[in-house]
Amino acid sequence: MNVKLFGEFFVTLLVIVDPPGMVPVFLGLTGAMPAKARNRAATQAVLLALGVIVGFAVAGQTLLDYLHVQLPALQAAGGLLLVLVALQLLTGKTDEPAEQGGTSNVALVPIGTPLLAGPGAIVATMLYVQRAESADEYLVLAAAIFAVMACVWLVLRFSGGIVRLLRPAGIEVLTRIAGLLLAAIAVQLIADAINAFVKSYSALP
């Protein structure tokens, strides 16, 4: 087993996904849920993120090439989606779809993607897959992905203790903070995408 490759990819992906940084956003979106529903949301979010990252690892470059989509475009799309979610958190209107009988599930969007399986995680995974040269190295990368997702699940699964400490008023404050953090993440994603587009087109003859 290539321990160096495992450690390098594991640390890279873990830093990008940032489980501790996900806690306030996760609690801001799920803090009002019962404990069982919140735990189920954690599991659903991690499973979706795992599926998306593995899917892009296997066929991401082929899919983007087929659709003529550049990676910065994917990054900008994720940023725009996060802007909408951040506005909902900041205005306190996150429960409207459920009240109207909709099927929105915050565990899937935005937690599963684009927060956990976002452009950064997808791009990093695709780059490491392109570097792999043997079946053993592909298995090492797969093991690292599963290990990172296991860490994320543990952090989200046991974040319920924070909910008991914060009480409803604290959760409401945390929701607003999470909205502000999401807005900042969204703006950074869009800015990075614009910067990448400018660099790519300025390099053309």
Short mmCIF file of all heavy atoms in Angstrom, two decimals, residues 72-108:
data_model
loop_
_atom_site.label_atom_id
_atom_site.label_comp_id
_atom_site.label_asym_id
_atom_site.label_seq_id
_atom_site.Cartn_x
_atom_site.Cartn_y
_atom_site.Cartn_z
N PRO A 72 -13.87 25.64 -13.84
CA PRO A 72 -14.30 26.90 -13.22
C PRO A 72 -15.81 27.13 -13.33
O PRO A 72 -16.41 27.75 -12.44
CB PRO A 72 -13.53 27.97 -14.02
CG PRO A 72 -12.31 27.27 -14.48
CD PRO A 72 -12.76 25.86 -14.79
N ALA A 73 -16.43 26.64 -14.41
CA ALA A 73 -17.88 26.78 -14.55
C ALA A 73 -18.60 25.98 -13.46
O ALA A 73 -19.60 26.43 -12.89
CB ALA A 73 -18.32 26.31 -15.93
N LEU A 74 -18.08 24.79 -13.18
CA LEU A 74 -18.64 23.97 -12.11
C LEU A 74 -18.48 24.68 -10.77
O LEU A 74 -19.38 24.67 -9.93
CB LEU A 74 -17.92 22.62 -12.08
CG LEU A 74 -18.45 21.56 -11.12
CD1 LEU A 74 -19.84 21.11 -11.52
CD2 LEU A 74 -17.51 20.37 -11.07
N GLN A 75 -17.35 25.32 -10.58
CA GLN A 75 -17.08 26.05 -9.35
C GLN A 75 -18.03 27.23 -9.19
O GLN A 75 -18.59 27.47 -8.11
CB GLN A 75 -15.64 26.55 -9.37
CG GLN A 75 -15.10 26.99 -8.04
CD GLN A 75 -13.59 27.19 -8.08
OE1 GLN A 75 -12.96 27.03 -9.12
NE2 GLN A 75 -13.02 27.53 -6.95
N ALA A 76 -18.25 27.97 -10.27
CA ALA A 76 -19.15 29.12 -10.22
C ALA A 76 -20.59 28.68 -9.95
O ALA A 76 -21.33 29.34 -9.20
CB ALA A 76 -19.08 29.90 -11.53
N ALA A 77 -20.99 27.56 -10.54
CA ALA A 77 -22.35 27.05 -10.31
C ALA A 77 -22.55 26.70 -8.84
O ALA A 77 -23.60 26.99 -8.25
CB ALA A 77 -22.59 25.82 -11.19
N GLY A 78 -21.54 26.07 -8.23
CA GLY A 78 -21.62 25.76 -6.81
C GLY A 78 -21.72 27.02 -5.97
O GLY A 78 -22.47 27.08 -5.00
N GLY A 79 -20.98 28.04 -6.36
CA GLY A 79 -21.04 29.31 -5.63
C GLY A 79 -22.41 29.96 -5.70
O GLY A 79 -22.93 30.46 -4.70
N LEU A 80 -23.02 29.95 -6.88
CA LEU A 80 -24.35 30.54 -7.04
C LEU A 80 -25.38 29.79 -6.21
O LEU A 80 -26.28 30.39 -5.61
CB LEU A 80 -24.74 30.53 -8.53
CG LEU A 80 -23.95 31.49 -9.43
CD1 LEU A 80 -24.34 31.28 -10.89
CD2 LEU A 80 -24.21 32.94 -9.01
N LEU A 81 -25.27 28.47 -6.17
CA LEU A 81 -26.20 27.67 -5.38
C LEU A 81 -26.05 28.01 -3.89
O LEU A 81 -27.05 28.15 -3.17
CB LEU A 81 -25.93 26.18 -5.60
CG LEU A 81 -26.81 25.20 -4.82
CD1 LEU A 81 -28.27 25.41 -5.14
CD2 LEU A 81 -26.40 23.77 -5.14
N LEU A 82 -24.82 28.19 -3.44
CA LEU A 82 -24.59 28.53 -2.03
C LEU A 82 -25.11 29.93 -1.70
O LEU A 82 -25.53 30.18 -0.57
CB LEU A 82 -23.10 28.42 -1.70
CG LEU A 82 -22.53 27.01 -1.64
CD1 LEU A 82 -21.08 27.06 -1.17
CD2 LEU A 82 -23.33 26.13 -0.70
N VAL A 83 -25.07 30.85 -2.66
CA VAL A 83 -25.62 32.18 -2.43
C VAL A 83 -27.11 32.09 -2.07
O VAL A 83 -27.59 32.74 -1.13
CB VAL A 83 -25.42 33.08 -3.66
CG1 VAL A 83 -26.28 34.34 -3.56
CG2 VAL A 83 -23.96 33.48 -3.81
N LEU A 84 -27.84 31.26 -2.83
CA LEU A 84 -29.28 31.10 -2.56
C LEU A 84 -29.52 30.54 -1.17
O LEU A 84 -30.39 31.01 -0.43
CB LEU A 84 -29.90 30.19 -3.62
CG LEU A 84 -29.87 30.70 -5.06
CD1 LEU A 84 -30.45 29.65 -6.01
CD2 LEU A 84 -30.64 32.00 -5.18
N VAL A 85 -28.73 29.53 -0.79
CA VAL A 85 -28.89 28.92 0.53
C VAL A 85 -28.52 29.91 1.63
O VAL A 85 -29.21 30.01 2.66
CB VAL A 85 -28.04 27.65 0.65
CG1 VAL A 85 -28.15 27.05 2.04
CG2 VAL A 85 -28.46 26.63 -0.40
N ALA A 86 -27.46 30.68 1.41
CA ALA A 86 -27.03 31.66 2.41
C ALA A 86 -28.11 32.71 2.63
O ALA A 86 -28.37 33.13 3.78
CB ALA A 86 -25.73 32.34 1.95
N LEU A 87 -28.76 33.15 1.57
CA LEU A 87 -29.85 34.13 1.69
C LEU A 87 -31.00 33.56 2.50
O LEU A 87 -31.62 34.26 3.31
CB LEU A 87 -30.33 34.57 0.30
CG LEU A 87 -29.34 35.44 -0.49
CD1 LEU A 87 -29.88 35.70 -1.89
CD2 LEU A 87 -29.11 36.76 0.24
N GLN A 88 -31.31 32.28 2.30
CA GLN A 88 -32.37 31.64 3.07
C GLN A 88 -32.02 31.61 4.55
O GLN A 88 -32.87 31.87 5.40
CB GLN A 88 -32.61 30.22 2.56
CG GLN A 88 -33.29 30.16 1.20
CD GLN A 88 -33.51 28.73 0.74
OE1 GLN A 88 -32.84 27.82 1.20
NE2 GLN A 88 -34.44 28.54 -0.17
N LEU A 89 -30.78 31.29 4.87
CA LEU A 89 -30.36 31.23 6.27
C LEU A 89 -30.38 32.62 6.90
O LEU A 89 -30.80 32.79 8.05
CB LEU A 89 -28.95 30.63 6.37
CG LEU A 89 -28.83 29.13 6.09
CD1 LEU A 89 -27.36 28.73 6.07
CD2 LEU A 89 -29.58 28.32 7.13
N LEU A 90 -29.92 33.61 6.18
CA LEU A 90 -29.83 34.96 6.73
C LEU A 90 -31.21 35.58 6.93
O LEU A 90 -31.40 36.40 7.83
CB LEU A 90 -28.99 35.85 5.80
CG LEU A 90 -27.49 35.55 5.80
CD1 LEU A 90 -26.79 36.30 4.68
CD2 LEU A 90 -26.87 35.93 7.14
N THR A 91 -32.18 35.20 6.09
CA THR A 91 -33.53 35.75 6.20
C THR A 91 -34.46 34.87 7.03
O THR A 91 -35.60 35.24 7.28
CB THR A 91 -34.15 35.96 4.81
OG1 THR A 91 -34.15 34.70 4.10
CG2 THR A 91 -33.35 36.98 4.02
N GLY A 92 -33.97 33.70 7.44
CA GLY A 92 -34.77 32.82 8.28
C GLY A 92 -35.91 32.15 7.55
O GLY A 92 -36.93 31.81 8.15
N LYS A 93 -35.77 31.91 6.25
CA LYS A 93 -36.85 31.30 5.47
C LYS A 93 -36.51 29.88 5.02
O LYS A 93 -36.97 29.41 4.00
CB LYS A 93 -37.14 32.15 4.23
CG LYS A 93 -37.67 33.53 4.56
CD LYS A 93 -37.95 34.33 3.31
CE LYS A 93 -38.51 35.71 3.64
NZ LYS A 93 -38.78 36.52 2.43
N THR A 94 -35.72 29.18 5.83
CA THR A 94 -35.27 27.84 5.43
C THR A 94 -36.36 26.79 5.53
O THR A 94 -36.24 25.71 4.98
CB THR A 94 -34.10 27.39 6.31
OG1 THR A 94 -34.51 27.44 7.68
CG2 THR A 94 -32.91 28.30 6.11
N ASP A 95 -37.44 27.06 6.25
CA ASP A 95 -38.47 26.04 6.47
C ASP A 95 -39.64 26.14 5.50
O ASP A 95 -40.57 25.35 5.56
CB ASP A 95 -39.01 26.14 7.91
CG ASP A 95 -37.97 25.76 8.94
OD1 ASP A 95 -37.12 24.90 8.63
OD2 ASP A 95 -38.01 26.32 10.04
N GLU A 96 -39.62 27.12 4.60
CA GLU A 96 -40.76 27.32 3.71
C GLU A 96 -41.09 26.11 2.85
O GLU A 96 -42.24 25.71 2.76
CB GLU A 96 -40.52 28.54 2.81
CG GLU A 96 -40.85 29.83 3.51
CD GLU A 96 -40.79 31.01 2.56
OE1 GLU A 96 -40.49 30.79 1.37
OE2 GLU A 96 -41.06 32.12 2.99
N PRO A 97 -40.11 25.45 2.21
CA PRO A 97 -40.45 24.33 1.35
C PRO A 97 -41.14 23.20 2.10
O PRO A 97 -42.06 22.59 1.60
CB PRO A 97 -39.09 23.87 0.81
CG PRO A 97 -38.23 25.08 0.89
CD PRO A 97 -38.69 25.78 2.12
N ALA A 98 -40.70 22.92 3.32
CA ALA A 98 -41.31 21.84 4.09
C ALA A 98 -42.74 22.19 4.45
O ALA A 98 -43.62 21.33 4.45
CB ALA A 98 -40.49 21.59 5.36
N GLU A 99 -42.98 23.48 4.78
CA GLU A 99 -44.34 23.88 5.14
C GLU A 99 -45.27 23.77 3.94
O GLU A 99 -46.47 23.55 4.09
CB GLU A 99 -44.31 25.32 5.66
CG GLU A 99 -43.59 25.46 7.01
CD GLU A 99 -43.43 26.91 7.40
OE1 GLU A 99 -43.88 27.77 6.61
OE2 GLU A 99 -42.88 27.20 8.48
N GLN A 100 -44.74 23.93 2.74
CA GLN A 100 -45.57 23.88 1.55
C GLN A 100 -45.69 22.47 0.99
O GLN A 100 -46.23 22.26 -0.08
CB GLN A 100 -44.97 24.80 0.47
CG GLN A 100 -44.97 26.27 0.89
CD GLN A 100 -44.17 27.13 -0.06
OE1 GLN A 100 -43.57 26.63 -1.02
NE2 GLN A 100 -44.15 28.42 0.19
N GLY A 101 -45.18 21.50 1.75
CA GLY A 101 -45.30 20.12 1.31
C GLY A 101 -44.30 19.74 0.25
O GLY A 101 -44.48 18.76 -0.47
N GLY A 102 -43.19 20.51 0.12
CA GLY A 102 -42.18 20.21 -0.89
C GLY A 102 -41.33 19.04 -0.46
O GLY A 102 -41.48 18.46 0.60
N THR A 103 -40.37 18.73 -1.31
CA THR A 103 -39.51 17.57 -1.04
C THR A 103 -38.06 18.00 -0.81
O THR A 103 -37.16 17.19 -0.91
CB THR A 103 -39.56 16.59 -2.23
OG1 THR A 103 -39.13 17.28 -3.41
CG2 THR A 103 -40.94 16.05 -2.44
N SER A 104 -37.85 19.29 -0.51
CA SER A 104 -36.47 19.75 -0.33
C SER A 104 -35.83 19.04 0.86
O SER A 104 -36.47 18.82 1.88
CB SER A 104 -36.44 21.27 -0.12
OG SER A 104 -36.92 21.59 1.15
N ASN A 105 -34.59 18.70 0.71
CA ASN A 105 -33.86 17.99 1.75
C ASN A 105 -32.50 18.64 1.88
O ASN A 105 -31.65 18.49 1.01
CB ASN A 105 -33.73 16.51 1.38
CG ASN A 105 -33.10 15.70 2.50
OD1 ASN A 105 -32.53 16.24 3.43
ND2 ASN A 105 -33.21 14.39 2.39
N VAL A 106 -32.28 19.37 2.99
CA VAL A 106 -31.02 20.09 3.16
C VAL A 106 -29.85 19.14 3.29
O VAL A 106 -28.70 19.53 3.08
CB VAL A 106 -31.08 21.02 4.40
CG1 VAL A 106 -32.12 22.10 4.20
CG2 VAL A 106 -31.36 20.23 5.67
N ALA A 107 -30.11 17.88 3.64
CA ALA A 107 -29.03 16.90 3.73
C ALA A 107 -28.41 16.66 2.35
O ALA A 107 -27.20 16.42 2.24
CB ALA A 107 -29.54 15.59 4.31
N LEU A 108 -29.24 16.72 1.32
CA LEU A 108 -28.75 16.49 -0.04
C LEU A 108 -28.18 17.77 -0.64
O LEU A 108 -27.06 17.78 -1.15
CB LEU A 108 -29.89 15.94 -0.91
CG LEU A 108 -30.57 14.66 -0.38
CD1 LEU A 108 -31.66 14.21 -1.34
CD2 LEU A 108 -29.55 13.55 -0.16
#
